[in-house]
């Protein structure tokens, strides 16, 4: 037998198979698709520069870094990268100066010191007279982050011959908040049930847990809150802590810490105490003992996330105490082990006769400086509740002595849920780049959150997860891009929406420019498209009642005024919008003078927030020259039309996507177009009853009556 011929034949067969398009793909691999590099010239260049792997140290984290590299490069290059010595040119060297002597001899101490515990360097260097690529950091987890970044370079067809990459996170705690219940339902979850199978834990470690940790590590997420903020005290019992330990053990090599939600009334519900008063000595002791018990299971337990005195959740105000009293008691319980408390500022009371948008600021601003150093106050990006568009929360910049942690919602509770393609990086960037003016122009929300504006010692960013047990993780394939962009912006909030979309598209689909350019543009426009067909010009909170699916601007007469739509849009025969200036609720006064000056008058207020801050007459002339009524109609119709354009854009990309994923998105875009028309027609017809003006000429008339839309009542909306 001619073994040389056989070897050549098998190699050609193997590379041919790898180069064939994937027939079907269910999306499980997320953006970690290590498929064969199609560009032959680039692949040959990679092979020439990657001849072997040198890695010293066998910690669990370095072990998974090595596994990721071996698997990833074998798929990308069609050839395994073997462990080798330094005698060969083109080796890839991994490690820290502490565990790899050759890296220590490169004298990178100054560069590494600037990167902190999680940053990394990727360098092209001369090692013992031969060219090499070095991935190094101050810690093993930094090396792991660098490993994923290096693999991304190959996935996105970047040049690796002259590397000089330095990267460190701008935010310390980059955490997913799972709103998962112990019965595996997920509040506001649109991708199936919870991925945590509590019944099979701790003995059965699903591969999905490992892949979840890999995905998070690949974008720099370093923490996960396993359970719903509407907390269940059972998670703190030994029966569940042993299961939490199993997850923490699986996540630890990937730098992913576990956090838990704490139900404030747990000392009463499960501890047998008569009170949960945070100033009561017995209560303090109970929580300290409980924290010690948790740390006995999970030595690197991150701490607690708490929702208190909000939407019926128990809290310190039940006992006449402040949020600071409650947070500090829990903070003291975990401080010795380095734990933190993330205390949510999402509080509002239907009994308070004031604008709901003002209540968090009213409650928390007076407490500035009263929280322990290991407390973060977790603030939603806007003052209402994750709306398609909100101005930044007035608390950002208003508490210079208290670290404020950003809370974004990745799951699309108010953004069409899992049937709408909405890329959220533009939403996140809009908030992060907003100027608070608290220290003059340039005092952005991002500078508040990353600690640079007020010198916070503790920083954090949270994202409410959109993950479930659907095979593609997020329900809508493009929902993966929102998980991805959250992690990337938590690591580096200066990245552009376009850059992040480009990375995700290249890793998830293809590097072909004829695919990338139109789909990237579609993604970046998608959020504005949704705002247009749902809540244009600053409208907000006009969705269906309770399930928040579909339009419901007519919602009124519910148990809470601030759970209705009419509370927010205040449509009347005279006009529409919520007056939050001095002539109305004066919520605008909670912002710095520079913001007040810009938003205080309709003529200077950005039109995207016009009806958020002002009650405007129907005939008011907007910047387009149209009346407010005509502009409102035009926006609704434009949004619906743009979804049709999105469908056309996706259809044109069929040649670049496997059939399964192409059809998945195609069908959902059809649903989205129907929903956009539903929103358009229902809202225009409803607001027309107040405006008493015709729909502008040239726009098609709704095919149904307003009564038809009012009677729509979806019965099986997921996520409640």
């Amino acid at each position: 037998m001619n073994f040389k011929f056989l070897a050549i034949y098998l190699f050609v067969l193997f590379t041919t198979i790898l180069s064939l398009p994937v027939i079907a793909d269910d999306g499980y691999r997320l953006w970690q698709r290590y498929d064969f590099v199609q560009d032959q010239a680039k692949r040959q260049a990679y092979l020439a520069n990657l001849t072997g792997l040198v890695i010293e140290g066998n910690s669990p984290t370095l072990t998974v870094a090595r596994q990721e590299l071996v698997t990833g490069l074998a798929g990308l290059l069609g050839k395994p990268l073997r462990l080798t010595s330094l005698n060969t040119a083109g080796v890839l060297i991994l490690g820290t100066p502490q565990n790899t002597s050759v890296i220590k001899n490169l004298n990178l101490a100054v560069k590494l010191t600037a990167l902190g515990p999680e940053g990394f360097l990727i360098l092209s260097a001369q090692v013992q007279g031969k060219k090499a690529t070095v991935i190094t950091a101050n810690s093993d987890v930094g090396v792991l982050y660098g490993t994923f970044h290096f693999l991304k370079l190959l996935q996105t067809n970047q040049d690796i011959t002259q590397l000089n990459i330095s990267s460190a996170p701008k935010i310390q705690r980059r955490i997913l908040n799972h709103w998962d219940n112990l019965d595996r339902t997920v509040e506001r979850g649109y991708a199936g049930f919870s991925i945590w199978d509590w019944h099979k834990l701790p003995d059965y470690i699903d591969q999905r847990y490992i892949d979840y940790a890999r995905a998070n590590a690949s974008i720099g997420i370093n923490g996960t809150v396993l359970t719903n903020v509407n907390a269940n005290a059972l998670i703190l019992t030994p029966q569940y802590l042993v299961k939490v330990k199993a997850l923490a053990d699986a996540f630890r090599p990937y730098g992913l810490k576990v956090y838990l939600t704490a139900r404030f009334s747990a000392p009463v519900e499960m501890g047998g105490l008569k009170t949960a008063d945070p100033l009561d000595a017995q209560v303090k002791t109970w929580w300290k003992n409980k924290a010690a018990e948790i740390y006995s299971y999970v030595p690197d337990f991150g701490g607690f996330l708490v929702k208190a005195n909000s939407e019926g959740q128990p809290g310190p105000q039940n006992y006449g105490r402040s949020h600071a009293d409650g947070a500090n008691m829990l903070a003291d319980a975990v401080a010795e082990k380095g734990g933190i408390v993330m205390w949510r500022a999402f509080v509002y009371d239907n009994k308070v006769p004031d604008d709901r948008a003002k209540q968090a600021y009213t409650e928390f601003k007076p407490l500035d400086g009263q929280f322990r150093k290991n407390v973060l106050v977790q603030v939603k990006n806007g003052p209402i509740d994750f709306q398609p568009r909100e101005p930044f929360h007035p608390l950002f910049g208003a508490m210079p002595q208290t670290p404020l942690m950003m809370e974004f919602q990745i799951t699309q509770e108010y953004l069409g849920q899992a049937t709408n393609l909405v890329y959220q990086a533009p939403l996140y960037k809009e908030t992060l780049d907003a100027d608070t003016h608290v220290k003059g122009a340039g005092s952005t929300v991002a500078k508040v959150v990353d600690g640079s504006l007020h010198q916070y010692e503790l920083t954090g960013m949270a994202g409410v997860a959109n993950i479930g047990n659907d095979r593609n993780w997020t329900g809508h394939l493009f929902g993966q891009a929102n998980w991805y962009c959250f992690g990337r912006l938590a690591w580096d909030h200066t990245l552009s929406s376009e850059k992040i979309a480009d990375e995700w598209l290249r890793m998830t689909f293809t590097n072909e420019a004829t695919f990338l350019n139109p789909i990237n543009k579609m993604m970046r426009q998608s959020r504005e498209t949704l705002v247009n067909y749902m809540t244009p010009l600053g409208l907000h909170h006009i969705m269906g009642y309770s399930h928040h699916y579909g339009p419901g601007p007519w919602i009124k007469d519910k148990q809470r005024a601030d759970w209705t739509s009419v509370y927010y849009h205040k449509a009347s025969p005279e006009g529409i919008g919520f007056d939050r200036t001095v002539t109305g609720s004066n919520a605008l006064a909670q912002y710095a003078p520079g913001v007040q000056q810009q938003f205080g008058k309709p003529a200077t207020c950005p039109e995207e927030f016009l009806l958020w801050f002002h009650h405007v007459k129907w005939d008011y002339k907007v910047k387009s020259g149209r009346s407010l009524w005509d502009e409102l109609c035009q926006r609704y119709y434009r949004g619906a039309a743009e979804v049709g354009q999105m469908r056309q854009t996706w259809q044109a990309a069929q040649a670049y996507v496997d059939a399964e994923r192409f059809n998945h998105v195609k069908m959902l875009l059809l649903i989205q177009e129907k929903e956009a028309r539903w929103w358009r027609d229902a809202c225009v017809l409803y607001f027309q009853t107040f405006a008493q003006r015709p729909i502008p000429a040239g726009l098609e008339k709704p095919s149904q009556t307003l009564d038809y839309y009012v009677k729509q009542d979806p019965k099986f909306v997921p996520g409640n």
Side-chain angles (χ1 to χ4, degrees):
M1 181 181 289
N2 189 328
F3 289 101
K4 182 179 180 180
F5 174 80
L6 178 62
I8 294 173
Y9 171 80
L10 290 174
F11 177 77
V12 171
L13 178 64
F14 178 61
T15 54
T16 301
I17 291 171
L18 284 173
S19 66
L20 291 173
V22 178
I23 296 173
D25 192 314
D26 59 15
Y28 180 84
R29 291 185 294 164
L30 299 163
W31 50 87
Q32 295 180 293
R33 295 164 50 82
Y34 302 136
D35 291 340
F36 195 60
V37 175
Q38 297 294 313
D39 187 317
Q40 184 176 357
K42 289 189 181 297
R43 188 173 66 253
Q44 292 303 321
Y46 294 155
L47 287 167
N49 283 275
L50 296 170
T51 59
L53 176 63
V54 173
I55 179 169
E56 297 179 14
N58 58 359
S59 72
T61 298
L62 288 178
T63 298
V64 298
R66 180 174 64 247
Q67 290 171 347
E68 200 73 31
L69 267 178
V70 170
T71 302
L73 294 177
L76 290 161
L77 306 181
K79 178 181 178 181
L81 192 69
R82 302 188 182 282
L83 294 175
T84 187
S85 67
L86 293 171
N87 297 326
T88 308
V91 296
L92 177 61
I93 305 170
L94 265 72
T96 69
Q98 292 74 37
N99 61 26
T100 309
S101 58
V102 66
I103 292 178
K104 182 178 181 180
N105 294 334
L106 292 176
N107 298 318
L108 299 172
V110 174
K111 288 185 176 181
L112 286 171
T113 298
L115 298 179
E118 294 179 297
F120 58 84
L121 293 173
I122 305 178
L123 304 171
S124 298
Q126 289 289 319
V127 177
Q128 296 184 6
K130 294 182 176 62
K131 187 175 181 180
T133 302
V134 176
I135 302 175
T136 187
N138 291 309
S139 66
D140 290 352
V141 75
V143 173
L144 179 64
Y145 292 149
T147 297
F148 281 115
H149 189 95
F150 182 74
L151 286 167
K152 178 168 63 178
L153 296 178
L154 275 64
Q155 287 178 277
T156 56
N157 284 6
Q158 305 302 304
D159 180 20
I160 64 168
T161 58
Q162 299 294 328
L163 294 172
N164 186 14
I165 296 171
S166 173
S167 183
K170 297 184 182 299
I171 305 291
Q172 297 165 4
R173 311 283 178 132
R174 306 172 302 280
I175 301 176
L176 286 183
N177 287 184
H178 285 266
W179 285 0
D180 295 27
N181 300 311
L182 298 184
D183 64 1
R184 298 195 71 185
T185 59
V186 182
E187 184 170 346
R188 310 307 179 188
Y190 310 105
F193 289 99
S194 171
I195 64 173
W196 319 131
D197 191 340
W198 297 106
H199 175 65
K200 293 180 182 176
L201 285 165
D203 300 311
Y204 187 86
I205 303 300
D206 196 311
Q207 179 61 36
R208 184 175 282 249
Y209 304 154
I210 307 301
D211 292 333
Y212 167 84
R214 289 177 54 239
N216 280 318
S218 75
I219 52 176
I221 291 174
N222 64 4
T224 180
V225 183
L226 300 176
T227 46
N228 196 346
V229 289
N230 294 321
N232 187 329
L234 281 175
I235 195 65
L236 303 179
T237 62
Q239 294 93 324
Y240 276 91
L241 290 178
V242 68
K243 301 171 187 288
V244 171
K245 168 182 166 52
L247 290 174
D249 290 346
F251 298 161
R252 190 170 292 112
Y254 294 91
L256 191 65
K257 278 190 177 182
V258 163
Y259 298 76
L260 295 175
T261 48
R263 185 163 172 83
F264 200 80
S265 53
V268 176
E269 295 178 16
M270 56 183 288
L273 301 186
K274 295 181 178 180
T275 181
D277 183 346
L279 300 189
D280 183 275
Q282 285 186 303
V283 173
K284 291 180 180 180
T285 299
W286 188 90
W287 278 109
K288 285 188 175 181
N289 290 338
K290 179 54 64 177
E293 182 183 15
I294 296 171
Y295 280 109
S296 72
Y297 287 92
V298 184
D300 57 350
F301 172 61
F304 294 120
L305 171 65
V306 185
K307 176 180 179 179
N309 292 120
S310 177
E311 299 183 323
Q313 292 298 302
Q317 292 178 344
N318 294 34
Y319 305 95
R321 312 302 186 188
S322 73
H323 289 289
D325 292 329
N328 292 341
M329 179 267 295
L330 288 171
D332 290 342
V334 297
E336 183 180 346
K337 298 286 189 177
I340 64 169
V341 168
M342 298 165 285
W343 193 271
R344 296 178 87 233
F346 181 61
V347 295
Y348 62 97
D349 189 341
N350 190 48
K351 298 176 183 177
V352 176
D354 204 352
D355 181 357
R356 171 172 157 181
K358 296 171 62 177
Q359 291 185 33
Y361 180 102
T362 300
E363 286 197 33
F364 279 87
K365 168 65 175 173
L367 300 176
D368 188 28
Q370 297 183 29
F371 292 91
R372 297 286 193 268
K373 289 185 177 181
N374 60 326
V375 173
L376 284 155
V377 173
Q378 185 166 306
V379 183
K380 291 188 178 185
N381 60 284
I384 294 296
D385 188 16
F386 299 133
Q387 296 302 293
R389 170 167 278 133
E390 299 188 45
F392 70 88
H393 203 297
L395 274 173
F396 289 114
M399 300 184 71
Q401 300 179 73
T402 305
L404 299 183
M405 181 177 189
M406 174 64 74
E407 182 179 337
F408 286 125
Q409 190 177 47
I410 308 171
T411 190
Q412 295 175 215
E413 177 180 357
Y414 298 100
L415 280 74
Q417 301 178 6
T419 54
N420 284 206
L421 190 164
V422 184
Y423 174 51
Q424 294 193 65
L427 187 160
Y428 302 159
K429 288 286 290 183
E430 183 175 280
T431 302
L432 291 166
D433 294 343
D435 198 340
T436 70
H437 285 273
V438 295
K439 287 191 174 183
S443 304
T444 63
V445 172
K447 291 179 181 178
V448 175
V449 176
D450 72 15
S452 61
L453 192 68
H454 299 305
Q455 288 73 55
Y456 295 156
E457 295 181 9
L458 187 60
T459 61
M461 188 182 294
V464 181
N466 63 345
I467 298 161
N469 70 348
D470 281 6
R471 274 293 296 175
N472 71 5
W473 299 85
T474 57
H476 198 304
L477 183 69
F478 275 77
Q480 296 177 3
N482 295 327
W483 179 6
Y484 183 86
C485 78
F486 168 78
R488 294 293 283 129
L489 287 171
W491 183 278
D492 183 0
H493 54 68
T494 68
L495 294 170
S496 70
S497 299
E498 183 176 10
K499 165 68 173 171
I500 297 170
D502 181 71
E503 291 178 357
W504 181 79
L505 285 170
R506 287 175 181 272
M507 292 189 287
T508 304
F509 294 106
T510 178
N511 284 283
E512 293 290 341
T514 46
F515 171 86
L516 294 170
N517 295 336
I519 302 300
N520 191 314
K521 182 179 179 181
M522 179 188 77
M523 288 176 66
R524 287 180 284 123
Q525 177 62 31
S526 61
R527 183 275 185 125
E528 198 66 37
T529 292
L530 175 127
V531 169
N532 281 333
Y533 67 73
M534 283 190 180
T535 54
L537 297 171
L539 288 172
H540 51 288
H541 208 285
I542 59 171
M543 65 289 156
Y545 183 69
S546 181
H547 49 65
H548 298 166
Y549 172 71
W554 45 79
I555 301 296
K556 61 180 180 178
D557 301 329
K558 298 298 182 181
Q559 65 197 76
R560 299 178 63 124
D562 52 14
W563 285 355
T564 68
S565 300
V566 298
Y567 174 93
Y568 296 96
H569 64 67
K570 302 194 183 301
S572 70
E574 289 73 39
I576 184 174
F578 199 123
D579 183 0
R580 290 190 166 99
T581 69
V582 68
T583 59
S585 74
N586 205 24
L588 188 56
Q590 294 182 336
Y591 293 91
V595 178
Q596 294 181 40
Q597 184 177 4
Q598 182 183 13
F599 290 78
K601 297 179 180 179
T604 59
C605 183
E607 282 191 346
E608 61 263 32
F609 298 121
L610 180 63
L611 303 182
W612 184 284
F613 287 106
H614 300 277
H615 190 80
V616 182
K617 293 183 177 180
W618 293 111
D619 288 332
Y620 176 81
K621 287 291 186 291
V622 297
K623 293 174 183 175
S624 67
R626 302 186 187 101
S627 69
L628 175 68
W629 165 250
D630 283 358
E631 182 68 18
L632 193 66
C633 291
Q634 292 288 347
R635 297 286 182 107
Y636 272 113
Y637 277 79
R638 184 193 309 165
E642 286 173 349
V643 181
Q645 294 165 13
M646 290 167 66
R647 289 182 60 210
Q648 293 175 19
T649 300
W650 185 251
Q651 186 66 41
Q654 183 173 7
Y656 300 99
V657 185
D658 59 274
E660 183 171 351
R661 291 188 299 165
F662 175 79
N663 288 322
H664 164 87
V665 176
K666 178 182 178 179
M667 290 185 287
L668 288 174
L669 282 171
L670 178 61
I671 294 173
Q672 184 172 355
E673 185 175 32
K674 291 179 179 178
E675 292 179 350
R677 289 173 176 270
W678 174 27
W679 269 91
R680 177 196 73 185
D681 293 350
C683 291
V684 167
L685 286 172
Y686 173 75
F687 291 128
Q688 189 181 36
T689 65
F690 299 97
Q692 293 296 306
R693 288 157 175 80
I695 296 173
L699 302 180
E700 65 175 313
K701 303 301 184 285
S703 59
Q704 303 289 344
T705 65
L706 175 61
D707 185 61
Y708 168 84
Y709 293 113
V710 172
K711 289 180 178 178
Q712 298 299 302
D713 185 21
K715 297 293 186 184
F716 301 106
V717 179
N720 265 359

